[in-house]
Amino acid sequence: MNLDSIYTEIITEYSQSKHNERTIDSPTKSLKGHNPSCGDEINLEIKIKDNIIEDAAFTGVGCAISRASTSIMIDLIKGKRIKDALNLVDTFIGMIKREITNDEDLEILEDAMALKNISNLPARVKCAVLAWHTLKQALE
Amino acid sequence: MNLDSIYTEIITEYSQSKHNERTIDSPTKSLKGHNPSCGDEINLEIKIKDNIIEDAAFTGVGCAISRASTSIMIDLIKGKRIKDALNLVDTFIGMIKREITNDEDLEILEDAMALKNISNLPARVKCAVLAWHTLKQALE
Amino acid sequence: MKQISVDDIRKDFPVLNQTINGRKLIYLDNAATTQKPNTVIKSIENYYKSFNGNPHRGAHYLSLKSTEIYETGRKKVANFINASSTREVIFTRNATESLNLLAYSYGMNFIEEGDEIVISIMEHHSNLIPWQQVAKSKKAVLKYLYTNEEGIITEEEIKKKITDKTKLVSIAHVSNALGTINPIKFIIDYAHSRDAKVILDAAQSLPHMKVNVKNLDVDFLVFSGHKMLAPLGIGVLYGKENLLEKIPPFLYGGDMIEYVYEDSTTFAELPHKLEAGTQNVAGVLGLTKAIDYLNEIGMDNIEEMESELTSYALEKLDSLSEIELYGFKGISNRGSVISFNVKDVHPHDTASILDAYGVAIRAGHHCAQPLMRYLGINATCRASFYFYNTKEEIDLFIESLKNVRKWLGYES
Amino acid sequence: MKQISVDDIRKDFPVLNQTINGRKLIYLDNAATTQKPNTVIKSIENYYKSFNGNPHRGAHYLSLKSTEIYETGRKKVANFINASSTREVIFTRNATESLNLLAYSYGMNFIEEGDEIVISIMEHHSNLIPWQQVAKSKKAVLKYLYTNEEGIITEEEIKKKITDKTKLVSIAHVSNALGTINPIKFIIDYAHSRDAKVILDAAQSLPHMKVNVKNLDVDFLVFSGHKMLAPLGIGVLYGKENLLEKIPPFLYGGDMIEYVYEDSTTFAELPHKLEAGTQNVAGVLGLTKAIDYLNEIGMDNIEEMESELTSYALEKLDSLSEIELYGFKGISNRGSVISFNVKDVHPHDTASILDAYGVAIRAGHHCAQPLMRYLGINATCRASFYFYNTKEEIDLFIESLKNVRKWLGYES
Ligand SMILES: Cc1ncc(COP(=O)(O)O)c(C=O)c1O
Ligand SMILES: Cc1ncc(COP(=O)(O)O)c(C=O)c1O
């Protein structure tokens, strides 16, 4: 396994940046996502107005991959319509599961494409998808 | 394994002869011996007078080896004092366990010496010793 | 049927090519356990030489490899029995543990006072004593399906015993003592019409014929790997997902939990909820390779090969006047198991004498004492075949059998 | 100490001589499972090539051979732990099953409302959840022995928690999460003075040091074969004969019975009473060969070799400012397990990065969530050694560790 393809600059930067790590005042939705086998836990909060995700943030503990993935996701979905956010989630999970492999189809994921290679590291796939599954549950 | 050394003439004759297979009128002791893994069961009856085994007999089901062993034992102990019968039992079990190997020491077992080779057939050792263990229990 | 050479098959099984005390080994004790092909043996060796690690718990290479092997095995089993999902496949040690798991987790929690549990008189002790215990502990009633004079469980008997009070029916697909194939489709459908659940003990069927849990619509099914070419120490419990969801865990420990607090615990999802502690990955790999081997030959072919062997043996045995056969005599509706006795000879003597001729059969109650008592016999000899046996072996078995009475001093 | 060359030892372990992704494998996950020497691997292969049969049930050669192998293994285990008799040695699947057997057969039958069960905060989930369940079901009280600031369970704590109400103490000899060796002799003696029975979870001690059940006077002891060079799928429960006599069977099925009637059953004598169904003979043979291997090296030597490795590693780790160590820091009173974290780095990242360097360690809660919570941490990295590890491996481990923070974008 090639570490360069996993712990990329995007991932390490996002994992260290705390700009999405906070709580939101009176969020529309607040949902816990957890990964018992790792002990990872995130609490995802989102504020929705007129079907648009106005704000999102998270708190919790997790590894670099799960933190980076969560933060990238939040940056990506803010300002998006719920429908579009859900589409992003499906695309992301499709990418990790290697069901969507065409780079053009993945482009909408922007920075989240940096997590593509995580599928080479089966033990860490759960870390990468935790936030996305949680978001999906929160929105559905 | 050499069948000749197991199914000897003595064994097959004793196993077919029914001369000790009967019940005794008002026996002093009556004891069930069983071997659950084979399904063998014998009921041993003995009549004791003045510390002497006056009569003994058995009923039940069992393989040729267990039947022969039982019948040989009964022939051997009839008329013997309890103490001597117990000594015979110990000698027999010692022979089967290969703890007594000297033929001179085994001579008192008479026909029961025919069962010596059963120790080469571990699966059948239990059949050979069933009656003797039962007798020991009955006498002690 | 594609061209299958038994000679080629036998080359794959080292044990079968052994000579014991100067005699060719003839292994006819396949209902007890089967021999293993080289692919299975080799896979265990490879596992311990290259992949050994504790699965599910680690992020390192060996642990990941082990997890992959383990979960691939689960998929293989799910496909083999046509389960809807891998969540329905639980690995256990053997059929016995699978049945006890059901008794403890299902029986002790869903059977209530006055409920009825129905089993058959020909159950293996593993599918009998656990239900006795449940019945005793829950004040439920344990009822038996008996066979008629022809050795079969009739539809009348089934309709009589399975009632609206019946909560559970647990039955052997094929009897290990007699070879009888039970009318399980009728039993399952009838039990369902009375709202009872059905457990199928497939220990003696799955190795020999296609068993499709979806077609059968069976609620639970159990089997042992070692009776189908796989190593010792691995078994399976299949259960419909909604039922497995409902039952509490059986064994508690590592890998079956979600969160553990000092005074309470939440459990993992299926299938992990029902698998505690370090699992037998090498066993699962062996089972995977065993299923590959069986699929390669084809279960249809296996059934046909064995049916031919069994008919052949039955015919030969039937022609010997000193042989008494037990159970259903026909060849239809029976597995590759034959129970018999030699007249005047205790089965243990027969088994010991045959062993001296290199022929391995089994003698005893075959873990079915109530059946023996019901049939009024003490014990039987049992010859049981697998697809790797040959007619020549059966000939030698029959020839040896002819000598048994002579050894015991009978004229003929 | 006789001359022992680790290089020679390592030749016996195929897994250790592997290269993974171009890097030498450094296996430091021995608390999860150990690697197997060739003698163990070969014995399984031989078993399936020459001796495979169902033990205890047959009069034929393969069945007799299997029975002999199985019962010889029992003697070997009895001698290894210094049991009084083979009747005290029960084969199970693993330590988890042994503990669950005790929970179901001993706990559920001898613990009553208001009784107290004492375990420690550092128990593996396998020795924790079963007792939670017993306590819940029997309305008994589950109490924990906590560690002090130095990471040890003090005599005061023991005297406070073990009272006249205590019926059972179940405790790990060595913690799999921290490596702490618990004061078990004191606990056993004190518990006995209060008429409580003691179960020792020796899963992490028996592979690494001499454990003598008679000297310890322990009532029950459990361990897993796979953590001491033996194959997966075989474990042991030791119990004092009079206690094992008292407890009812756990699993019901073949080979553990005396007489089975339609509505009742009588059970076989020890040890068979507690072993149901077809047993894992190949597993027992592998365990036998594993014990031979350990005896060949000598448990005293093993303890010394590992203690040297552990001190060496501890010293190196302690000198790295970015490493935080957990548990008792001294080398006396600890097994060959080290729990640590890299500053600012989640243990899963550390494990994945080390894996890329070929170093296998474990990251997580180590099946000890209550302990993690008690220590106020989420998860740790764990390196665990066996006698076949070397100082060079530890050097490489440390070197790899130094790179971890860089991969995550930290300056140093
Ligand atoms: C019909 C049947 N059920 C259950 C079992 C139990 O299998 P195991 O001993 O592998 O648990 C057997 C085999 O012994 C069997 O033949
Ligand atoms: C202290 C301790 N107890 C019990 C166990 C459970 O062992 P197994 O998973 O082999 O049943 C382990 C290992 O995982 C352990 O370290």
Side-chain angles (χ1 to χ4, degrees), chain C residues 95-157:
Chain C
T96 301
E97 202 205 358
S98 301
L99 288 162
N100 278 273
L101 187 164
L102 288 173
Y104 276 102
S105 288
Y106 188 82
M108 296 301 271
N109 291 294
F110 294 91
I111 302 287
E112 288 166 20
E113 186 166 344
D115 285 350
E116 295 179 358
I117 302 170
V118 175
I119 64 176
S120 91
I121 190 64
M122 61 180 100
E123 295 315 311
H124 188 281
H125 293 159
S126 295
N127 193 26
L128 193 160
I129 318 177
W131 306 117
Q132 264 184 4
Q133 297 293 325
V134 170
K136 201 171 108 187
S137 153
K138 290 291 163 182
K139 299 202 175 71
V141 181
L142 184 63
K143 278 183 159 181
Y144 286 83
L145 296 167
Y146 297 101
T147 53
N148 69 3
E149 315 80 55
E150 282 165 31
I152 58 173
I153 298 172
T154 63
E155 297 193 355
E156 292 70 55
E157 175 71 1

Side-chain angles (χ1 to χ4, degrees), chain B residues 10-30:
Chain B
I10 297 179
I11 300 293
T12 55
E13 269 171 22
Y14 267 103
S15 75
Q16 286 189 38
S17 143
K18 311 236 180 237
H19 71 282
N20 287 323
E21 206 170 341
R22 57 190 168 85
T23 53
I24 290 177
D25 262 357
S26 47
T28 322
K29 306 251 180 184
S30 164

Side-chain angles (χ1 to χ4, degrees), chain C residues 57 277-278, chain D residues 31 94-96 99 124 126 172 174 176 201 203-204 224 226-227:
Chain C
R57 296 187 196 167
T278 304
Chain D
N94 51 26
T96 300
L99 288 162
H124 188 279
S126 294
V174 174
N176 71 300
D201 176 357
Q204 296 294 345
S224 282
H226 72 94
K227 292 186 200 278

